[in-house]
Amino acid sequence: MTADPLAPLDLAFWNIETPGNPMHLGALGVFAAPSATAAAHAADLLAGRAAAVPGLRMRIRDVWGPLTAPFSLGGAVREPDPEFDPLHHVHLHAPTADFQAASGRLMEHPLDRGRPPWEAHVLPGEAGDGFAVLFKFHHALADGLRALTLAAAVLDPMDLPAPRPRPTAPARGLPEVRALPGLLRGALSDALSDVGRALDIGASVAVHTLGVRSTTALTAGPTGTRRTGGVAVDLDDVHRVRKVVGGTVNDVLIAVVAGALRTWLDERGDGSAGVTPRALIPVSQRRPRTAHPQGNRLSGYLMRLPVDDPDPLGRLGAVRAAMDRNKDAGPGRGAGAVALLADHVPALGHRLGGPLVGQAARLWFDILVTSVPLPGIGLKLAGNPVTEIYPYAPLARGQSLAVAISTYRGLVHFGLVADAEAVPDLDRFARALATEVETLITACGS
């Protein structure tokens, strides 16, 4: 494998990171196991399999000289680490009675930027009848889909259905000379369209920063501390609400987050009156067989969560309407698409402006609510099945809470990452998520 320049958004994630705000995402998988030695065996398997996965051998190296063009000055490359040792990345810990508490402490620590930026932490259960594995991947190395692919490569092989054959695309010859003026006109039109889209996104960002009543519960100084939590709810219950009210499963889950925030804020005494935090909902723009198949291709929707609405069905209706407006506009426009502007910034701009961009995240959105896809088939390690899996999103500088959601084997798992000092009661918010599902079911009369 040869050196591959980081895609613009990957480079942005690499340069935004600070010691107090690491830019890694994570996933905590809980495994049922029959013996106390299962965790040690799992750690050995992970280390042995990691050595054979090319994507896990890739480090990120800063480059100050031009790579292929002056535009790359100040960029970085993804390249094989000639000294790769999986034992630097796979760690077996002492038994613990609380997987979430242990994960929170581990999520605080940035990944080693001199090595391939990933880790797998094996956490034996104190009772000896199960274990958990916390995977950490730097966002510059992998987005959610890519992280899932890398993690699956070190789990037990999955029996996947055979892929359908792709139709062969007709061969395309070089354009004729007489077609070049048309091509130039098309290129100019595309460039003007890009400029217009950039201006539209910038204007939308400015509008969304006006008239905001924020809450201290969702803002925090960069303490560098982390707490993780999670809760699982029945997917059938979510479908019961969706079938009565309409919309999508994602609409219902976002409304659950809004309702849980309302309950949580009121219980802790902060109050929910007039609070409509801006939620960033990432949207994958990944396309198969692109020039950067490993790179992040993200846009997003930005919406106000109707936390101040006391009616659970009213909150769900507001979420549905906001998501419909976002979908009508498309993920390429609006304030949520600001990540796409990374493609128009030279590498040196990312290098010099990364810290400033990281500090500006709180001006753009208040809370991240993201969905991470998981396969429908069962995941195993050393024959031990996954019973729970909680995704964790990076926590932006100046923000105190991020929510990631995955559906696996009939359950919806909410993975929570919070600033430990700003949110000492994260377990209360986790309980509020489960309660809000029941509230919606009751409101639907089902």
Side-chain angles (χ1 to χ4, degrees), residues 306-332:
V307 172
D308 60 341
D309 190 338
D311 178 15
L313 296 185
R315 292 192 293 268
L316 179 49
V319 167
R320 283 188 59 194
M323 288 298 288
D324 286 344
R325 288 193 298 270
N326 277 314
K327 291 172 185 175
D328 288 342

Side-chain angles (χ1 to χ4, degrees), residues 175-185:
E176 297 181 12
V177 174
R178 63 175 179 271
L180 287 177
L183 292 175
L184 292 174
R185 285 195 299 271

Side-chain angles (χ1 to χ4, degrees), residues 354-368:
L356 181 61
V357 171
Q359 293 179 26
R362 65 190 303 173
L363 300 178
W364 173 31
F365 65 96
D366 301 301
I367 184 172
L368 179 73

Side-chain angles (χ1 to χ4, degrees), residues 57-406:
R57 306 177 67 93
M58 304 300 283
R59 68 180 180 183
I60 295 176
R61 179 171 60 85
D62 292 325
V63 177
W64 282 103
L67 301 173
T68 58
F71 191 78
S72 300
L73 180 65
V77 295
R78 187 184 293 109
E79 65 181 9
D81 182 356
E83 300 179 355
F84 175 71
D85 183 348
L87 295 181
H88 289 152
H89 303 266
V90 179
H91 308 280
L92 177 63
H93 294 264
T96 177
D98 190 336
F99 294 140
Q100 291 287 358
S103 295
R105 291 189 292 270
L106 292 168
M107 287 292 288
E108 288 183 4
H109 303 294
L111 294 163
D112 187 340
R113 292 169 69 95
R115 292 177 173 147
W118 69 274
E119 293 173 351
H121 297 271
V122 182
L123 306 168
E126 200 168 62
D129 57 354
F131 65 92
V133 179
L134 172 67
F135 287 101
K136 294 168 56 177
F137 295 96
H138 199 287
H139 217 331
L141 179 70
D143 59 9
L145 290 172
R146 177 66 177 165
L148 172 62
T149 301
L150 292 173
V154 293
L155 298 178
D156 293 354
M158 294 183 290
D159 296 326
L160 298 175
R164 296 180 180 179
R166 292 179 177 270
T168 303
R172 296 182 179 180
L174 293 174
E176 297 181 12
V177 174
R178 63 175 179 271
L180 287 177
L183 292 175
L184 292 174
R185 285 195 299 271
L188 179 59
S189 176
D190 290 344
L192 292 175
S193 177
D194 284 347
V195 171
R197 182 173 63 173
L199 291 174
D200 176 70
I201 293 171
S204 296
V205 171
V207 168
H208 277 81
T209 60
L210 299 175
V212 177
R213 190 218 155 178
S214 188
T215 171
T216 55
L218 295 178
T219 58
T223 69
T225 61
R226 291 293 180 270
R227 186 184 304 273
T228 59
V231 66
V233 300
D234 197 320
L235 180 59
D236 286 343
D237 288 342
V238 177
H239 279 299
R240 287 167 64 187
V241 175
R242 179 191 61 81
K243 289 175 181 177
V244 172
V245 180
T248 67
V249 166
N250 202 41
D251 293 342
V252 177
L253 295 177
I254 295 171
V256 167
V257 173
L261 283 172
R262 176 182 176 84
T263 299
W264 178 61
L265 290 173
D266 287 342
E267 287 183 350
R268 73 195 324 245
D270 290 331
S272 59
V275 176
T276 56
R278 299 156 300 175
L280 176 64
I281 318 293
V283 178
S284 176
Q285 296 287 89
R286 179 183 290 275
R287 297 177 180 176
R289 302 183 182 184
T290 59
H292 296 283
Q294 298 179 2
N296 282 278
R297 293 295 303 168
L298 293 172
S299 181
Y301 298 141
L302 196 67
M303 61 176 292
R304 298 220 181 228
L305 295 179
V307 172
D308 60 341
D309 190 338
D311 178 15
L313 296 185
R315 292 192 293 268
L316 179 49
V319 167
R320 283 188 59 194
M323 288 298 288
D324 286 344
R325 288 193 298 270
N326 277 314
K327 291 172 185 175
D328 288 342
R333 287 188 176 273
V338 71
L340 297 178
L341 297 180
D343 291 341
H344 305 283
V345 177
L348 188 58
H350 284 296
R351 178 70 64 88
L352 299 178
L356 181 61
V357 171
Q359 293 179 26
R362 65 190 303 173
L363 300 178
W364 173 31
F365 65 96
D366 301 301
I367 184 172
L368 179 73
V369 182
T370 183
S371 295
V372 181
L374 291 175
I377 60 178
L379 300 171
K380 295 182 179 180
L381 177 57
N384 304 300
V386 172
T387 59
E388 304 168 61
I389 183 163
Y390 299 98
Y392 300 138
L395 196 60
R397 182 181 176 89
Q399 296 175 347
S400 59
L401 179 63
V403 180
I405 308 169
S406 283

